[in-house]
Amino acid sequence: MMTSKPASFWTRYANPTAFQRLSNQIAPLAGGAAIAFIALGLWFGLVASPADYQQGDTVRIMYVHVPAAWMAMACYTSMAIASVAGFVWKHPLADVAAKSTAPIGATFTALALVTGALWGQPTWGTWWVWDARLTSVLVLFFMYLGYMALWSAIDEPTRAARIAAVACLVGFINVPIIKFSVDWWNSLHQPASVIRANGPSIDGSMLRPLLLMAFGYTLAYVWLLFVNMSAELAERRAARLLAGARPTATLVAEPAE
Amino acid sequence: MRGLSAIIARDVSLAFRAGGGAAQTVIFYALVILIFVLGVGPDPAVLSRVAAPVLWTAALLASLLSLDRMFQSDFEDGSLEMLVQRTPTPGLLVLAKALAHWLTTAGPLLLATPLLAIIAGIEPAAVPPLMLSLLVGTPALSLTGAIGAALTFPLRRANVLMTILIGPLFAPTVIFGVAAATPGADAAPMLFLGAATLSTVVIAPLAGGAAIRFNLQ
């Protein structure tokens, strides 16, 4: 009995209708909480926190930038985990989750790159430097784009999922490189200051908005993920219904490879 | 093992036959260098600074040329499925194909490099480190390229998609390759370049083999 319990949990939500019910409950909750956390984080970040003694008010960009960069890596990691799950256990929703994560992760990566450039101009005196951290995050952005291009190039969903999973896992090498780039190479980008062996090196008044934003972003990811996955499942159902209703039409529409 | 050497020998002899592409790769390599040099201008001080990166970039672009055909032509005439059935694991096939690709692209490129390097304004003393960095780094280009080719061979217009997928993965090889080509550089970039190449020796058969299996299902 004990062993069959987790299996039933996983298999229950392999049914798209059951998943749709779960999604309909979780998505609005996560969305509401995300908006609340981000609003609170922005209030603390933009109004109720001190300006940095060196950076001045520019430091407030960090409350948008740092959690976005965390999410850029976290989304790719989730994509890799979902790819492995789709690969090993052939769970149909794992493939959908991996595919649905990519545009969200790409958006967080773009947000991190843009806010980083906006912060770099007044602080470093340049929009962009080709150092290890910035370059590896840019590479991450291109990997998201390549992953999405691969999905859209293959018509058949199961094969697309397997092929995209291989590409995703090869690209995962980049994630630890991003994480440790500031330690391995002499970089203009500062090293980690929140998750450190001796505790965070930033003041509580600045840590509070940072963590609130990070929670908000994570909840926003959950929200958008469920919305994306529902849309993907609905799209596939529509494609199946369409193929069933007009079998000859699809035969004509798809040229022989 | 004999089967694998037969695959390599077949691909190499196909590439060196008339219209096989090995000669075209070298011509393309020379043309890219020519265009870069024309774009940069004839100032010797600037040229000697940018020539090694230009040669590396040209070698990378030239090795992309024949990648999309690595599995595609065999897939189209049906021989790929037979090859996969007859090799113990598709990973070995990827290694053999990548090695044949390296022999037929990097080989001719390396032979042409000393002459083109001098024309492009590289000091004669800087040619050996450049040659060594190309020798150590180009296998990674062929092996990484084999992953991209294995992912995309059944697709129409595979070429552009493959380039988008493997382009980011070329970053470490180009960075360390150019650093190692600089005369008087310490050993670190060359060691990192070697490490990048060796890691692709492990990753390419695993990822490429899986991709071939999924694409043939």
Side-chain angles (χ1 to χ4, degrees):
Chain A
M1 270 295 125
M2 286 298 281
T3 49
S4 71
K5 233 178 185 176
S8 75
F9 172 79
W10 288 116
T11 46
R12 180 160 8 122
Y13 293 112
N15 177 345
T17 321
F19 173 80
Q20 198 68 56
R21 268 203 303 277
L22 179 77
S23 168
N24 288 345
Q25 288 167 350
I26 288 184
L29 281 179
I35 291 169
F37 267 102
I38 290 175
L40 208 61
L42 285 178
W43 159 257
F44 275 110
L46 300 184
V47 182
S49 69
D52 189 76
Y53 80 99
Q54 258 184 335
Q55 303 170 28
D57 279 331
T58 321
V59 75
R60 302 185 196 281
I61 298 175
M62 287 294 104
Y63 304 127
V64 180
H65 169 78
V66 175
W70 285 344
M71 290 308 294
M73 287 191 285
C75 284
Y76 201 95
T77 310
S78 332
M79 220 163 77
I81 293 171
S83 297
V84 171
F87 218 75
V88 177
W89 294 292
K90 308 264 187 295
H91 197 291
L93 280 184
D95 300 337
V96 179
K99 183 188 181 184
S100 304
T101 297
I104 309 170
T107 309
F108 277 125
T109 314
L111 184 64
L113 287 169
V114 170
T115 52
L118 291 176
W119 179 86
Q121 169 57 22
T123 314
W124 294 339
T126 171
W127 299 103
W128 184 264
V129 281
W130 287 99
D131 83 342
R133 172 58 69 85
L134 281 73
T135 309
S136 54
V137 173
L138 187 63
V139 165
L140 180 74
F141 183 61
F142 280 116
M143 280 173 171
Y144 275 120
L145 296 186
Y147 178 86
M148 290 190 281
L150 194 53
W151 261 103
S152 64
I154 307 174
D155 298 327
E156 206 248 307
T158 320
R159 193 157 62 88
R162 298 288 163 270
I163 295 296
V166 174
C168 170
L169 291 177
V170 171
F172 186 71
I173 306 164
N174 190 32
V175 172
I177 293 181
I178 297 175
K179 175 75 187 80
F180 296 110
S181 56
V182 281
D183 305 323
W184 291 342
W185 287 283
N186 190 7
S187 169
L188 204 54
H189 197 283
Q190 56 268 56
S193 51
V194 176
I195 300 166
R196 299 193 328 146
N198 305 323
S201 64
I202 60 176
D203 188 70
S205 65
M206 292 181 171
L207 192 59
R208 191 181 306 124
L210 200 59
L211 294 181
L212 284 170
M213 290 296 281
F215 276 123
Y217 279 11
T218 312
L219 287 163
Y221 165 59
V222 173
W223 172 33
L224 295 172
L225 177 67
F226 273 105
V227 171
N228 267 0
M229 286 176 74
S230 300
E232 172 73 18
L233 290 172
E235 201 174 297
R236 287 185 187 183
R237 192 157 61 233
R240 263 200 310 278
L241 287 174
L242 223 56
R246 291 182 298 147
T248 46
T250 47
L251 265 179
V252 176
E254 278 179 29
E257 291 228 17
Chain B
M1 235 38 228
R2 268 193 41 221
L4 291 181
S5 52
I7 294 172
I8 297 168
R10 166 176 162 272
D11 276 17
V12 170
S13 66
L14 279 176
F16 282 109
R17 291 233 178 100
Q24 291 165 15
T25 306
V26 178
I27 297 169
F28 180 83
Y29 179 55
L31 269 177
V32 173
I33 295 170
L34 173 77
I35 291 166
F36 259 114
V37 171
L38 290 179
V40 168
D43 183 357
V46 179
L47 270 185
S48 71
R49 175 77 190 78
V50 300
V54 164
L55 260 75
W56 250 100
T57 314
L60 188 154
L61 293 175
S63 78
L64 282 176
L65 276 188
S66 50
L67 267 183
D68 61 324
R69 300 302 289 168
M70 188 184 271
F71 300 106
Q72 208 167 44
S73 49
D74 286 349
F75 173 66
E76 280 162 1
D77 66 16
S79 54
L80 184 65
E81 289 191 45
M82 211 186 64
L83 286 173
V84 168
Q85 279 173 8
R86 300 293 290 274
T87 31
T89 151
L92 281 176
L93 182 65
V94 173
L95 273 185
K97 284 283 188 179
L99 182 59
H101 178 265
W102 183 73
L103 289 172
T104 53
T105 56
L109 293 189
L110 278 167
L111 288 179
T113 294
L115 181 66
L116 291 169
I118 300 294
I119 293 175
I122 291 182
E123 299 287 316
V127 173
L130 174 68
M131 295 284 287
L132 187 62
S133 77
L134 282 171
L135 186 70
V136 174
T138 44
L141 300 182
S142 293
L143 284 157
T144 313
I147 302 177
L151 286 169
T152 55
F153 67 81
L155 305 173
R156 284 157 292 176
R157 293 188 299 280
N159 207 341
V160 179
L161 181 60
M162 186 196 69
T163 313
I164 293 173
L165 285 174
I166 60 181
L169 300 173
F170 282 159
T173 298
V174 173
I175 293 169
F176 295 124
V178 170
T182 314
D186 58 356
M190 188 61 85
L191 293 177
F192 272 113
L193 184 65
T197 300
L198 287 176
S199 57
T200 56
V201 174
V202 180
I203 295 165
L206 287 174
I212 289 181
R213 255 188 312 127
F214 293 138
N215 265 328
L216 288 180
Q217 267 169 13

